Amino acid sequence: MSPIRARATVVGTAFAAALTLAAPVPAAAAPVPAAPVTVEEARLDRAVPQEILRRSGFDGVAPRFAEALAGAGSHREAERAVARHAAALWERAVDRAQGRGPACGDLSRDDDRPLYWARLGMTRELSRWEPEFTLGADQRARLLDRLERASRGQDSLRLPAGKKVKRILMTGFDPFTLDLDIRRSNPSGATALALDGTWIRTADGPARIETAVFPVRWQDFADGTVERTLRAQLPKADVFTTVSQGRVGRIDIERTNGAWRGGYPDNANVSRTETVPVRDPASQPQWTTTTLPYAAITAATTGRFPVYDNTSVTEIPAGGTAPVNRPGGPTPGSTARAGGGGDYLSNEIAYRATLLRDRLGLTTPGGHVHTPVLQFGPGNTTEVTDPEFVRNRLDIVAQVREIIRVSAENTD
């Protein structure tokens, strides 16, 4: 009906009503449709992820989050629900890995996979959620970003103040190459969960470890997720280590990192072959180097897996056109084609973290550690876990913790 409230004659009122009915009615803002399921989320419905969630007690995470979203009557309420449930997921995964809380299910506590699959369950619920209020595409994207960061520990890094404690920053990764074997776990992610918020005793006194986990996706790195997470933390840290899964049967301290993406598909089945994209590419170096005390680490670290100081790279020599393997490191003026840690996201996180260190003008000891490939027991091609698999993961976690301790003891 017409909103005209002034007094009018019957004829005037009828005329005004006719004008109102004839005028076009503004269309209500169309809600943004739910986002399509991602490649990672599409793997969720397979038997192995569902078994991992069920056997860890994390199968209720996504349904409870969906209920919270359904109860959100505004964007602000949705923000609160996302922040609360995402942070709770990270805290629950850390508590589980460190032996706190009830032991739900029979999957070993050291397992990093429940966090990965539960997070994907949450992102899928958020992506396909259709609220009663209008939710713009940018708003949904920001909610997804908040979910990712909080559920990875990226926005809860709390390095303590004070001169009598050392502060250690460590990062890990999600499982990857899941289309080759969807059962895969990543020992770097398991290490991050096992060490987050823990204290270790060094010869120089106590040291606090704070950790976060990163996705295996090229685009997230191009969007600056590493720099956004570490920029405020590196100036506070006494040591930092980026950690990922590397070669079979060995641990490598990677000496040199290269500014090159080699194109191997990520968890979204996306390939990137290009120079590592960074801000200020005009001043971008081809190589960055570790400042971890690699000699002390290789000499002092003990355990099942041998620890190597890996100096090899692949380069295009100055004036050349073809890649050349260099066991002793890059030559002057060369172009990177692989760092010691390869040309995948392991190399890239090391490159980005050490480049950020250098651009901030820091001398903080830091660099990359490659763990052994986490293997199942002989003959296990179908089961999601076995005693050898658990033993391998626990031993890797223990050795990385020891590397971090040695690193902390060998810093000024």
Side-chain angles (χ1 to χ4, degrees), residues 93-105:
V94 169
D95 285 346
R96 185 176 187 276
Q98 297 180 17
R100 295 186 291 272
C104 299

Side-chain angles (χ1 to χ4, degrees), residues 173-226:
F173 273 106
D174 289 346
F176 65 107
T177 60
L178 296 165
D179 289 334
L180 298 178
D181 188 346
I182 199 167
R183 302 175 300 159
R184 287 191 170 153
S185 160
N186 193 324
S188 70
T191 303
L193 293 175
L195 299 186
D196 186 49
T198 63
W199 293 83
I200 57 174
R201 178 66 58 181
T202 75
D204 301 321
R208 167 80 171 215
I209 305 173
E210 289 287 316
T211 73
V213 172
F214 285 89
V216 182
R217 294 190 298 253
W218 293 114
Q219 190 59 50
D220 292 69
F221 277 55
D223 290 340
T225 184
V226 174

Side-chain angles (χ1 to χ4, degrees), residues 8 13 39 65 74 85 123 130 135 167 185 214 217 271-273 300-301 325 334 369 398:
T13 302
V39 170
F65 179 57
S74 66
H85 283 261
T123 62
E130 296 185 4
L135 183 71
R167 291 156 287 273
S185 160
F214 285 89
R217 294 190 298 253
S271 298
R272 291 285 187 270
T273 304
T301 304
N325 294 326
S334 65
V369 176

